[in-house]
Amino acid sequence: MKTIYKKLLFLVLLLPFSILAQNTLSGTVLDKASGQPIPGVNVNVQGSTNGVSTDFDGKFQLPSAKKGGKIVFSFIGYKNSVIDYNGQKVVTVALEEDANLLSEVIIQVGYGTVKKKDATGAVTVLTSKDFNKGPVTSADQMIQGKVAGLQVINGGGSPGEGATIRIRSGSSLSANNDPLYVIDNVPVAAGGINGGRNPLTTINQNNIESITVLKDASATAIYGSRASNGVIIITTKKGKAGEMQVSYNGNLQVSEIINKVDALKSNQFKDFVTANGTAAQVALLGTADTNWQDEIFRTAIGTDHNIALSGGTDNVVYRASVGYANLNGILKRDNMQRTTLGVGVTGNFLDKHLKIELNNNTSLIKSNYSNRGAIGAGIAFDPSQVVRNADGTFFQWYTSPTVINQLAGRNPVSLIEQFDNLGTSYRSIGNIQTEYKMHFLPELKAVANFGYDELSGRSYGGTAANYLNGINGSGFNNTYENTGSRFNKLMDLYLNYNEKVDAINTQIDVTGGYTYQDFRDINDGSSFNFENNRTVPAVPVPSRVNLQSFFARTNFTIADKYIITASYRRDGTSRFTEANRWSNFPAVAVAWKLNEESFLKDVASISMLKLRGGWGITGQQDIGVSYPSIPLYLISNSTAQYQFGNSFYSTFRPQPYNSNLKWEQTTTFNAGLDYGLFNNRLTGSVDLYKRTTKDLLLYTQNPSFFGFSNFDNYNVGTIENKGIELLAEVIAVRTNDVEWRIGGNVTFQNSKITKLTTTQPNTPGINVGGIAGGTGNTIQNHQVGYAPSSFYVYEQAYGADAKPLDGVFIDRNKDGIVNEQDKYRFHKPAADVFYGFNTSVSYKKFDFTMEWRGSWGNYMYNNVDSNFGTDINVLLRQTDLSNGVANLLETRFEKASDLQLHSDYYVQDASFIKLNNVSVGYTFNQKPNSSSLVKMTLSAQNVLIITKYDGLDPEISGGIDNTLYPRPIIFTLGLNVNF
């Protein structure tokens, strides 16, 4: 008994000392390669339940740490770090990426998530470390050149400019080929709104956490009717538990034009007119030396700022951000001002059985579009004339002092200064999603997601009171206004059951549910003619499209080696009649993790090796109109009323419709291989695909005396796409101070029309691709056996000096005349190969990135040269002069004609390689006990382009170059501060 008492007394006396030996350890956890703080790292005392997590800036405080203990730092995707605790107050720990654990990264798929290592479809995930650096303003710019099979072509150099985005070429001819965008679990409508710019600029790029690209049908079929062209899932940043953290991102941008159209210089122009013009035309020459492109373009300056607050408790976390960008374009007066607000709140309740997540992203954009017509005028206006007359008025062509020359071009500077083209747009995307894990069966959860996407906009403007000196017939003081609104509401309801069945060593994941989405929009507008004092209102026509679907998906993962995924979706659309309203979209995919097999498990050089195969069907119904299959009448506006006596009555016009319209369907086969070698120092994937789209929704000509218009929508034709996609990244060097990564992707693609209205190859096909010059001319053609939009041209004849012969073309069918029957299909706008290459080097506090991309096998119709490259462009009339391009001095084509405009001489190789971005950054030293971060970055965008193309820029969607808004080089100085 005495012994027991002695032991108890000893413990009592020891207790104060043991308490004194327990201390609070503070510190910061950083990424070893980048020096960036890592939020959410687990910090635990080894062998104890005592532990905390790092906050937004990688900061932690661990109480009750005991001397002699070991502290373990762990985080998914990184190697564990263990330190001995000897009473130190503050530590800084650098975690190193563990490539073997990166496969555990969770990726977003339709109505759920999956581990990257268990994905069966063709899926690419990009996070902040992968995004393009520099002056990006939208999600598409962040991933340009980064994903095999994904091609992003910006529409020009204006801030917030829209882009053409294609995943595996697109599956349709005239229906919508854009991918489906899902923003925080809300599938949004394609396109923008009156007064808006690129719809993707409405999401502040600083708020984006990850972008997931779903490419094959096994990955996309769960989205059914809207996934024929792939799916892009955008997930915004969420808060982390801990003290409130503040993050600031800002930059200053300077944009400079680097290439201009080679219009005739003033001396060339004067010499040409003097040598070839009449006396009256020579007399029209001025004495100035004006470079009109210099007059309309400028050095542009812009700024972009974003500040975010985040934090929370163990149960509720939040993140809120506000951003403001004021970006000037290189075209004078071009400006975009964007204000954004992002809010996200996530709460876990009922012992983490109930999760509620709220997200909202709102933007307000004000635009001054300037006048794009000035770009073409800057090429064509007489360079021998002054910008302004001696009295301060703009130089213009007149037939008399009081009569404007209606046929002549307009002064480019006046088009900018005396025209207003303005716009405002508002967008709000939000959702509330609840997940409830059943208390009686935690493996079963019910998910309800309610979301909306609201857009409204206004475009307005007009001419100044002194436009063309206010002369009658000049259109001075006119105004216009167009408004639009769209509202999209969403409801997803589904159940998910996920359980490991040990008896058969199989993980089962089953999802099934219902989704409802409703789209409503209305457009209105009016124009006012000042001279006639008359307002012409538009006819507001509201429209509505409703989509409803039932879906199910099952995943089986057997022995962590064999994976089977099956999905099914039944979609209904209000666009089609009841007989054709519903369609079914199944998909199946399998995967085999070879590295888990006994014959490879012990091969040290193979970190991961997975074979994939998939098949699926997706649908398309988005043809741009809401009621293409039911008979409707359109009421006339005030300019088309019928008079009876003194009264005017509106008329009704029948609209075209086709009650037999049905779903366009795309069947995709995909085979893939994912690999990781040498401890995942080399990773990548290979994919082969074949897509066949049948019952193509095609807007084409009606038969004679049929229907209520010349054109209507039909289900005709089949198109076939094939391709190979290669993606790889290698960590060439990794030491304590240096890391060098090299990555790239290559896509080989081929598209061919196999059926239109007939399967015969020698029919006229369908003409598309409108061009400037003449009236109603097209340069491209859809035809069986050829790529979509192949150029349809005459074969130019050349002389012994290798120069084109004016008006001489090859009689290809040998009938003695050159006519429409001698046209042939010559190349195509789509590339055979496109690729991206990037490299990044980090050395201590410095980092460097460089990104290249390019294409091969794509051709461009040079509509600038064909439209401005003949003698008659300069010497058309005796009352005024117009400029041309330098190409007319090479060809000396005398006049524009149908043959000249359709010459294959203007179809040029537009293959290119572009240095898209170069960036250098420096992270300033951090104090050991501080989680603050200061980083400065200097970058340049659109640095260099190498090409044989004669025009301004070889990268133009659709393959027709007609006065593109030039893409400038943009220098950016950026600052990132976390505290």
Side-chain angles (χ1 to χ4, degrees), residues 61-99:
Q61 285 190 332
L62 179 67
S64 303
K66 296 180 180 180
K67 287 184 179 180
K70 294 183 181 296
I71 313 299
V72 181
F73 299 82
S74 61
F75 190 65
I76 291 177
Y78 289 83
K79 294 180 180 178
N80 288 357
S81 178
V82 181
I83 66 170
D84 293 323
Y85 180 63
N86 298 312
Q88 57 266 52
K89 297 293 185 182
V90 178
V91 295
T92 298
V93 177
L95 293 186
E96 181 181 358
E97 276 188 358
D98 186 343

Side-chain angles (χ1 to χ4, degrees), residues 293-369:
Q293 294 181 85
D294 286 346
E295 295 295 332
I296 63 174
F297 293 116
R298 66 182 176 184
T299 298
I301 298 176
T303 60
D304 189 357
H305 307 275
N306 186 78
I307 189 167
L309 310 176
S310 68
T313 65
D314 289 339
N315 291 332
V316 179
V317 295
Y318 65 88
R319 185 179 189 275
S321 70
V322 61
Y324 175 74
N326 189 337
L327 304 175
N328 288 310
I330 57 171
L331 183 64
K332 288 182 177 178
R333 296 191 69 196
D334 185 17
N335 174 265
M336 180 187 80
Q337 296 182 54
R338 180 188 67 180
T339 303
T340 58
L341 177 66
V343 178
V345 180
T346 303
N348 286 283
F349 309 101
L350 303 180
D351 196 23
K352 296 191 176 181
H353 277 258
L354 176 62
K355 179 181 177 181
I356 301 176
E357 183 176 325
L358 296 93
N359 298 289
N360 179 267
N361 288 279
T362 298
S363 68
L364 176 65
I365 297 178
K366 295 182 178 181
S367 297
N368 186 334
Y369 298 101

Side-chain angles (χ1 to χ4, degrees), residues 292 377 381 386-388 394-396 409-415:
W292 290 105
F381 206 70
V386 296
V387 177
R388 292 178 183 268
F394 287 105
F395 173 86
Q396 303 284 3
R410 299 290 178 255
N411 184 313
V413 180
S414 77
L415 291 177

Side-chain angles (χ1 to χ4, degrees), residues 41 189 261 359 379 429 528 532 539 555 637 735 762 892 905 910-911:
V41 176
V261 174
N359 298 289
I379 302 170
I429 303 172
F528 173 71
N532 298 329
V539 178
N555 294 326
N637 63 20
T735 68
N762 296 321
R892 289 312 308 271
Y905 169 77
S911 303

Side-chain angles (χ1 to χ4, degrees), residues 798-803 805:
Y798 293 82
D801 59 358
K803 290 185 177 181
L805 298 173

Side-chain angles (χ1 to χ4, degrees), residues 683-710:
T683 58
S685 63
V686 179
D687 277 278
L688 295 85
Y689 68 87
K690 178 182 178 182
R691 300 199 307 176
T692 302
T693 302
K694 67 176 184 177
D695 296 326
L696 283 168
L697 287 166
L698 187 65
Y699 187 69
T700 188
Q701 198 158 7
N702 274 326
S704 300
F705 309 108
F706 181 83
F708 296 110
S709 70
N710 294 329

Side-chain angles (χ1 to χ4, degrees), residues 397-399 403-410 468 472-475 877:
W397 290 107
Y398 298 91
T399 55
V403 179
I404 191 72
N405 187 336
Q406 297 290 354
L407 299 177
R410 299 290 178 255
L468 297 180
N472 290 339
S474 64
R877 290 176 293 273

